[in-house]
Amino acid sequence: EAQVTQNPRYLITVTGKKLTVTCSQNMNHEYMSWYRQDPGLGLRQIYYSMNVEVTDKGDVPEGYKVSRKEKRNFPLILESPSPNQTSLYFCASSLFAAGGQETQYFGPGTRLLVL
Amino acid sequence: GENVEQHPSTLSVQEGDSAVIKCTYSDSASNYFPWYKQELGKGPQLIIDIRSNVGEKKDQRIAVTLNKTAKHFSLHITETQPEDSAVYFCAAKGFKGAGSYQLTFGKGTKLSVIP
């Protein structure tokens, strides 16, 4: 089944404790992206990747890191989480980085609480 | 960068009535406008999209219209059913450097269909 998976689905952590949220897709998609969803703010892009070893900042990249060592995986790293990073996070992928097949397939989401 | 405004933020309709959600965008170079539906506890899923060379597109009970001159596009749902209750997001495709693109999302509309 074609899908985007994220782990963990729920996470409670404390300020400053490094964490990683994994994202994996099995559709051989070039383009992958991370969003955060906050009430009243919609979906905001954190980082995106056009292909292996090619990443760039979205609209709200502060406090986050990403890497793309393999085409299927795009982990989101919070080196020192803070309470303002409490949010619902979505990973998404689409076929081509240059467009033409822009449909984004979203994962199920990771709900993060930073105390 | 692109800015997408979406209205209303909440919408309640009686089952069988129509629902209309409106979005405006700022970047005249944007050329692709998808609509996503997010059900409770799930990631957003594409329901319909339209490109800038088309004024209207229809898929069963769902239609999208685009006015490039005014830079606005709308989602129309006819004969609404309780399963249409969800959060709907509009988005616009803007261009970033190195040949890539970004989808900028509106803040979302929570649609409630009352049986």
Side-chain angles (χ1 to χ4, degrees):
Chain A
E1 179 189 357
Q3 60 183 350
V4 178
T5 57
Q6 294 178 229
N7 282 292
R9 294 291 313 279
Y10 305 91
L11 180 59
I12 301 174
T13 190
V14 296
T15 299
K17 185 176 182 181
K18 180 180 178 179
L19 66 92
T20 299
V21 183
T22 64
C23 172
S24 183
Q25 51 91 6
N26 62 0
M27 297 171 279
N28 200 36
H29 283 176
E30 287 184 348
Y31 188 96
M32 297 187 73
S33 182
W34 276 102
Y35 296 90
R36 60 178 290 174
Q37 183 176 10
D38 302 290
L41 296 179
L43 291 158
R44 294 180 293 167
Q45 191 181 53
I46 303 170
Y47 269 94
Y48 69 97
S49 170
M50 294 172 62
N51 215 321
V52 175
E53 302 292 0
V54 182
T55 63
D56 204 353
K57 297 177 181 178
D59 295 322
V60 288
E62 294 77 20
Y64 304 94
K65 286 175 58 177
V66 294
S67 69
R68 187 98 180 268
K69 294 184 171 59
E70 305 166 282
K71 198 171 187 178
R72 63 183 294 130
N73 296 324
F74 190 43
L76 179 69
I77 303 156
L78 285 71
E79 294 269 3
S80 182
S82 62
N84 65 11
Q85 293 178 296
T86 292
S87 188
L88 178 59
Y89 291 87
F90 287 101
C91 180
S93 71
S94 61
L95 185 57
F96 293 128
Q101 294 285 341
E102 297 94 339
T103 302
Q104 295 211 1
Y105 296 85
F106 283 81
T110 295
R111 189 167 289 280
L112 172 65
L113 172 61
V114 183
L115 300 173
Chain B
E2 177 68 276
N3 182 46
V4 177
E5 300 283 341
Q6 181 172 347
H7 299 280
S9 56
T10 60
L11 179 60
S12 291
V13 298
Q14 290 292 134
E15 182 177 356
D17 286 351
S18 296
V20 180
I21 303 170
K22 299 182 178 182
C23 289
T24 60
Y25 61 99
S26 61
D27 187 352
S28 57
S30 291
N31 63 0
Y32 172 72
F33 307 92
W35 286 88
Y36 284 80
K37 176 183 181 183
Q38 184 181 26
E39 297 177 338
L40 198 60
K42 297 184 178 180
Q45 189 169 15
L46 180 75
I47 54 171
I48 195 167
D49 56 14
I50 191 167
R51 297 192 182 274
S52 58
N53 58 349
V54 175
E56 184 174 356
K57 184 177 179 180
K58 193 172 181 180
D59 182 3
Q60 299 183 353
R61 297 185 297 108
I62 294 173
V64 58
T65 57
L66 171 65
N67 183 327
K68 281 195 303 180
T69 303
K71 289 191 280 189
H72 67 70
F73 57 112
S74 301
L75 178 71
H76 305 253
I77 306 174
T78 59
E79 300 171 21
T80 52
Q81 301 167 3
E83 51 265 38
D84 294 329
S85 295
V87 178
Y88 291 81
F89 292 98
C90 63
K93 172 188 167 185
F95 293 92
K96 301 199 79 169
S100 187
Y101 71 93
Q102 179 181 26
L103 285 184
T104 300
F105 287 83
K107 290 180 167 55
T109 296
K110 183 176 181 180
L111 174 65
S112 300
V113 180
I114 304 162

